[in-house]
Amino acid sequence: AWIYPTRLGDTPQGIMTKWSGKDGIGFGLFLDPRWGICFWTGRGGADGLVIATDQRPVRAHEWYFVGVSYDAHGPVFVVQEPLRDWPRDPLYPRQTLHVVPGLEPGCSEAPFVIGAYAGGDASTSDFAIRGHFEGKIEAPRLYARALTRDAMLALRDGRPAYGAKASLVAAWDLAADSSSERVVDRGSHGLHGRVVNAPTRAVTGHDWTGDESNPRYAPEQYGAIHFHADDLDDAGWESDFALTVPNDLPSGVYAARLRAGDAEDHVPFVVRPSAGKPTAPVAVLFPTLTYLAYADEQGTTNQYAPSYAAPRQNPAADAAELAYLRAHNLLSLYDFHADGSGVSLSSRFRPILNLRPKARMRHIDAPHGFAADLYLVDWLDHEGIAFDAITDEDLHADGRSLLDGYKVVVTGSHPEYWTRHMLDALDGYLGAGGRLMYLGGNGFYWVTSIDERRPHLIEVRRWGGTGAWKAEPGEYHHATTGELGGLWRNRGWAPQRTVGVGFTAQGFDTALPIGIKLSRRGRDR
């Protein structure tokens, strides 16, 4: 395989493994903080473990061609070749061969895993995936014979390798079908795989030239997946209860109230009207994609100056919440992964602590997003103004037909994240004489995608605007839809086109008074 480590860490990371970490049975290619690239094989128990390595250091943010040639009854050697080898670099001695006696591995029930290893036996209840690889992996391959060193280096260079074609077991093409969870095997055995927890796809590989920035036009240069130990797509909950919404329940915002002792929580949900059947003259469009973008924001971007952060009303509760977020790898699109790369995917199939009626944004200690939008709901109720509640997902799925029939559509306080389907729908509604009350700020800003096959997942690639992080060069297109990310402004759809006003820039700093000196007819004012 080709690998691009982004965080070396202090524990072994699995690259390609069929290894049971609980029993020490099986085999695998690892990135180990003690030995660099190495091969483990073992039978468990007293039979012990054999580790083959060439004990050369590995640098983060650099491409390597890595592999192992293994013979249970002969020599074992590991290959670790940097993409760019500098002759005078003392970290790269020209040694590529390390020979150790072989050991026949034990029979492991663990699955074959790319980018991690199994922490326990797959047949037991304590099975879990451990040793997550942090970085990119490209073109992993598996062969049914021990290849020579020359053959492996030929594979590195894209040349025919003696014995490789006939013994190929699997050649996984990580660029193929990158908008899905599917991993395609180009080998004859069809050993297709599935990505878990939504690692970042449509990212540059080791041979990206910079001449093409769209993966659709140069898929061979986008053959990698960027894995993070804190990726999280689906928490895998079981249902505790279900509610069948009565047909006569008015459209609006509701919550399931949960109580346990003195603790209380609210799980909000929106009841929308039946499609094409408005029940009120006003529709409130709740910006649920923005809620999801800010979901579980930790503030790891450090974009807020200390002088700007407000004191918390309940610092103990805030500290406990932040500790929970960090312990469970709960990140927003405003945070960084542990390896320093920006978070580009957000899922609602996980705990979201700040999607609550009493939530307060950590840096301003005030309502934000959903909690702020409830002030609008309260005012409409107080004034006796009937309204229907609709969401971004509804508008994305149903289009303009969802808006037709309303006298006015009202936005929430921060409608920042929009899909193309949403913009088209609103543009058509306004073009036909519809009315919009834009009650927010920083609206219609970031290009946002909803994964068609996993609609609980949204994607944003930040570049070209005021953002918490910037996408890497060549990685501006979304994996889920293939469209160009960044700002809608850069795709010819500035916010001014829709509502006449747009967000330009922001800053978080100390507020200071200003003085204005005007001169008129010789007098200063």
Side-chain angles (χ1 to χ4, degrees), residues 306-315 360-366:
S307 59
Y308 182 78
R312 299 290 287 181
Q313 291 183 346
N314 191 338
R360 302 175 74 82
M361 193 176 192
R362 178 168 296 104
H363 312 290
I364 59 176
D365 197 30

Side-chain angles (χ1 to χ4, degrees), residues 1-5 61-65 83-84 135-140 173-175 200-215 218-226 461 472-475:
W2 285 93
I3 67 168
Y4 182 85
H61 301 283
E62 193 163 325
W63 280 104
Y64 294 85
F65 178 80
L83 177 62
R84 292 177 177 84
K136 299 179 182 181
I137 297 179
E138 181 182 11
D173 182 357
L174 305 187
T200 308
R201 308 191 70 172
V203 295
T204 55
H206 77 280
D207 57 353
W208 182 62
T209 65
D211 295 329
E212 180 55 66
S213 60
N214 191 330
E220 71 283 355
Q221 297 182 31
Y222 286 81
I225 292 179
H226 192 160
R461 300 283 178 109
E472 292 295 319
E475 298 181 2

Side-chain angles (χ1 to χ4, degrees), residues 8-13 30-38 40 57:
L8 301 181
D10 54 7
T11 58
Q13 302 178 26
F30 288 82
L31 171 58
D32 193 298
R34 298 165 292 180
W35 303 302
I37 304 300
C38 59
W40 295 7

Side-chain angles (χ1 to χ4, degrees), residues 95-286:
Q95 301 172 6
T96 57
L97 183 63
H98 183 79
V99 180
V100 297
L103 174 70
E104 186 175 347
C107 182
S108 172
E109 296 297 324
F112 190 90
V113 181
I114 298 173
Y117 68 87
D121 198 300
S123 62
T124 64
S125 60
D126 65 347
F127 172 75
I129 295 297
R130 306 289 186 215
H132 298 87
F133 182 80
E134 301 255 26
K136 299 179 182 181
I137 297 179
E138 181 182 11
R141 295 185 180 186
L142 185 66
Y143 295 88
R145 62 174 294 174
L147 300 178
T148 65
R149 175 180 176 274
D150 289 341
M152 294 186 73
L153 296 181
L155 292 173
R156 177 198 63 181
D157 299 334
R159 297 181 285 107
Y162 174 76
K165 184 176 181 181
S167 61
L168 181 66
V169 174
W172 290 283
D173 182 357
L174 305 187
D177 208 4
S178 61
S179 64
S180 73
E181 296 178 283
R182 189 166 180 255
V183 173
V184 176
D185 172 24
R186 297 297 189 189
S188 60
H189 299 288
L191 299 176
H192 308 299
R194 180 176 67 90
V195 296
V196 178
N197 276 330
T200 308
R201 308 191 70 172
V203 295
T204 55
H206 77 280
D207 57 353
W208 182 62
T209 65
D211 295 329
E212 180 55 66
S213 60
N214 191 330
R216 288 180 293 182
Y217 301 136
E220 71 283 355
Q221 297 182 31
Y222 286 81
I225 292 179
H226 192 160
F227 297 91
H228 312 89
D230 48 17
D231 286 326
L232 180 59
D233 174 21
D234 188 343
W237 287 313
E238 296 179 356
S239 297
D240 290 309
F241 63 90
L243 169 68
T244 300
V245 178
N247 291 329
D248 58 351
L249 186 66
S251 175
V253 186
Y254 297 83
R257 185 172 63 184
L258 308 177
R259 287 175 170 172
D262 295 333
E264 181 181 72
D265 194 14
H266 295 82
V267 181
F269 60 96
V270 170
V271 174
R272 56 164 287 181
S274 299
K277 297 180 180 180
T279 63
V282 177
V284 176
L285 177 61
F286 288 87

Side-chain angles (χ1 to χ4, degrees), residues 241-364:
F241 63 90
L243 169 68
T244 300
V245 178
N247 291 329
D248 58 351
L249 186 66
S251 175
V253 186
Y254 297 83
R257 185 172 63 184
L258 308 177
R259 287 175 170 172
D262 295 333
E264 181 181 72
D265 194 14
H266 295 82
V267 181
F269 60 96
V270 170
V271 174
R272 56 164 287 181
S274 299
K277 297 180 180 180
T279 63
V282 177
V284 176
L285 177 61
F286 288 87
T288 46
L289 297 190
T290 298
Y291 301 162
L292 194 51
Y294 283 89
D296 294 326
E297 183 186 7
Q298 294 187 22
T300 59
T301 59
N302 296 318
Q303 61 174 316
Y304 305 99
S307 59
Y308 182 78
R312 299 290 287 181
Q313 291 183 346
N314 191 338
D318 181 60
E321 177 182 299
L322 188 58
Y324 183 90
L325 294 176
R326 291 174 176 172
H328 294 84
N329 296 330
L330 299 175
L331 301 169
S332 75
L333 296 186
Y334 287 80
D335 292 314
F336 290 111
H337 290 289
D339 70 349
S341 59
V343 179
S344 61
L345 296 160
S346 181
S347 167
R348 58 181 169 86
F349 281 4
R350 59 192 177 118
I352 300 179
L353 303 193
N354 56 351
L355 186 54
R356 295 292 187 267
K358 299 179 181 180
R360 302 175 74 82
M361 193 176 192
R362 178 168 296 104
H363 312 290
I364 59 176

